[in-house]
């Protein structure tokens, strides 16, 4: 028998249909943490509303702090707050005692995380907020703790055991804290009236950034805009379509309003010996699909793909007048899909 076969033979395999111990344990942990989040959701009360109102009125930043695993969760909460319209940063409590307290200003608020509420490293930072009357919000399982008593507002974590088999490793508590941080960030987002355009400012990169691009950032405009009059000959329209290389031309009236669109496909489908001498109004699509300059490129792409016969270019119109054309290839090159 080979070495690999010997190694394989020494590994116990659960019988078919029987869950392994690891699978059972994994499911147990996830269910415990899910139950803790459900308990947290049920326990939210006026204190949560009060925290949202106070944090929304803060003129400075929300300074998140926590030690150990709470610190790791705090960094993520600070990042989520900052990316959703609430200026925020993380300050390590131990570093705060050695000069980083200077990062916290009078107009800021402090969000302190501690499951027990008795984290000694938070002492100097808490004292600093009390000395300079800085808003202190605590997230803790024990409102009667040192941190809970010192805080202006307290958000209580559910009193649930840790999912660790020893009941010691921060698991359930950190998951609940993270979920509560997300709830704060999203509620503050709504409170501030944060829009997709605002989101785009903070998320210019990656897939998320591409989904928030607007058609005015991609559209062909100015001298690249294919336009003809209703009485122009189809032959002239074909010349414009060929020159602009967008597969279509808009048709505008005397006031410059978009009244129709002619595509190269329209010409091919109606090909007759006299087609090129006909006026474009005879073959144009009236009341064409169109979008405004502020439309998300993803929405424009959905319009192009959403009809019975998908098309590849869409006119961008402002006050009835064409200001640009966005092509499906422009969207794809920008990563919009």
């Amino acid at each position: 028998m080979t070495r690999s076969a010997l190694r394989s033979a020494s590994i116990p395999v659960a019988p078919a249909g029987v869950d392994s111990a690891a699978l059972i344990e994994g499911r147990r942990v996830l269910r415990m943490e899910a139950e803790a989040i459900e308990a947290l959701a049920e326990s939210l009360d006026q204190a949560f509303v009060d925290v949202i109102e106070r944090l929304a009125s803060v003129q400075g930043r929300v300074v998140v702090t926590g030690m150990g695993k709470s610190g790791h969760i705090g960094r993520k909460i600070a990042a989520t707050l900052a990316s959703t319209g609430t200026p925020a940063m993380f300050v390590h409590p131990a570093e705060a005692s050695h000069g980083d307290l200077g990062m916290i200003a009078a107009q800021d608020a402090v969000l302190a995380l501690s499951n027990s509420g008795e984290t000694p490293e938070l002492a100097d930072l808490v004292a600093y907020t009390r000395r300079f009357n800085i808003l202190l919000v605590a997230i803790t399982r024990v409102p009667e703790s040192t941190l809970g008593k010192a805080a202006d507002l307290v958000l209580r974590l559910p009193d649930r055991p840790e999912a660790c088999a020893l009941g010691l490793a921060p698991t359930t508590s950190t998951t609940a804290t993270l979920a509560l941080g997300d709830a704060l960030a999203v509620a503050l987002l709504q409170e501030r009236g944060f829009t997709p355009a605002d989101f785009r400012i903070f998320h210019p990169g990656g897939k998320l950034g591409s989904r928030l691009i607007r058609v005015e950032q991609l559209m062909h405009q100015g001298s690249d805009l294919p336009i003809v009059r209703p009485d122009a000959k189809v032959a002239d329209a074909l010349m414009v379509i060929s020159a602009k290389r967008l597969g279509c031309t808009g048709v505008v009236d005397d006031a410059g309003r978009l009244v129709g669109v002619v595509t190269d496909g329209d010409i091919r489908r109606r090909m007759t010996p006299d087609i090129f001498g006909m006026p474009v109004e005879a073959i144009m699509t009236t009341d064409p699909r169109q979008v405004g300059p502020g439309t998300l490129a993803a929405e424009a792409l959905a319009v192009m793909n959403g009809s019975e016969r998908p098309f590849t270019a869409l006119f961008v119109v402002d006050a009835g007048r064409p200001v640009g054309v966005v092509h499906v290839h422009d969207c794809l090159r920008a990563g919009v899909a």
Side-chain angles (χ1 to χ4, degrees):
M1 183 179 292
T2 65
R3 288 185 179 181
S4 59
L6 286 169
R7 285 196 297 269
S8 299
S10 65
I11 300 174
V13 179
V18 177
D19 290 339
S20 68
L23 189 58
I24 292 172
E25 183 68 359
R27 288 172 174 166
R28 182 191 68 81
V29 171
L30 292 175
R31 289 187 178 114
M32 286 186 67
E33 296 193 352
E35 289 169 2
I37 293 176
E38 181 62 31
L40 177 61
E42 293 297 324
S43 69
L44 285 190
D45 54 16
Q46 184 60 39
F48 183 83
V49 178
D50 294 341
V51 169
I52 294 300
E53 291 177 349
R54 292 290 298 278
L55 292 182
S57 65
V58 168
Q59 298 300 307
R61 294 162 299 181
V62 176
V63 178
V64 187
T65 189
M67 193 68 191
K69 303 302 185 292
S70 291
H72 295 306
I73 297 300
R75 290 181 187 276
K76 193 276 180 183
I77 292 175
T80 301
L81 287 169
S83 71
T84 52
T86 300
M89 62 180 291
F90 178 83
V91 170
H92 194 286
E95 296 294 339
S97 298
H98 295 273
D100 282 2
L101 283 174
M103 296 181 178
I104 307 172
Q107 67 270 28
D108 293 339
V110 171
L111 178 64
L113 318 179
S114 172
N115 184 43
S116 67
E118 300 296 344
T119 304
E121 291 85 354
L122 289 174
D124 290 339
L125 199 153
V126 169
Y128 183 82
T129 65
R130 303 305 78 191
R131 178 182 177 186
F132 294 101
N133 196 31
I134 297 169
L135 175 65
L136 175 62
V137 178
I139 294 181
T140 179
R141 181 176 51 84
V142 188
E144 302 80 17
S145 62
T146 302
L147 175 62
K149 290 179 179 179
D152 299 296
L153 295 167
V154 177
L155 293 175
R156 182 172 188 169
L157 296 172
D159 190 6
R160 295 297 180 96
E162 300 290 4
C164 164
L166 301 176
L168 300 174
T171 47
T172 305
S173 61
T174 49
T175 298
T177 303
L178 180 61
L180 185 53
D182 287 342
L184 287 170
V186 174
L188 281 166
L189 178 153
Q190 292 184 332
E191 182 76 13
R192 295 176 183 277
F194 201 67
T195 67
D198 298 321
F199 214 86
R200 163 74 179 160
I201 293 172
F202 298 135
H203 299 79
K207 183 65 177 176
L208 182 57
S210 66
R211 288 178 57 192
L212 297 172
I213 293 175
R214 299 185 179 277
V215 294
E216 61 188 348
Q217 298 171 264
L218 302 176
M219 67 185 186
H220 302 262
Q221 53 189 310
S223 61
D224 293 329
L225 193 60
I227 292 294
V228 297
R229 298 289 298 278
D231 58 354
K233 302 301 182 184
V234 171
D236 297 326
L238 185 58
M239 293 291 290
V240 172
I241 293 172
S242 300
K244 304 302 182 181
R245 304 178 66 179
L246 292 172
C248 67
T249 181
V251 184
V252 299
D253 61 15
D254 292 338
R257 293 185 294 265
L258 185 71
V259 295
V261 168
V262 175
T263 69
D264 50 7
D266 293 331
I267 298 174
R268 288 195 303 270
R269 284 187 293 271
R270 292 170 173 83
M271 188 65 70
T272 62
D274 60 347
I275 181 70
F276 295 111
M278 296 173 58
V280 293
E281 60 185 346
I283 68 168
M284 71 182 187
T285 299
T286 58
D287 192 24
R289 299 296 298 273
Q290 53 194 260
V291 294
T295 304
L296 292 177
E299 295 174 347
L301 190 60
V303 171
M304 288 187 271
N305 292 331
S307 62
E308 292 184 6
R309 189 167 61 198
F311 48 96
T312 59
L314 185 63
F315 269 84
V316 182
V317 175
D318 187 14
R321 294 175 171 81
V323 295
V325 176
V326 61
H327 196 279
V328 63
H329 291 163
D330 301 323
C331 297
L332 296 178
R333 277 194 294 269
V336 180

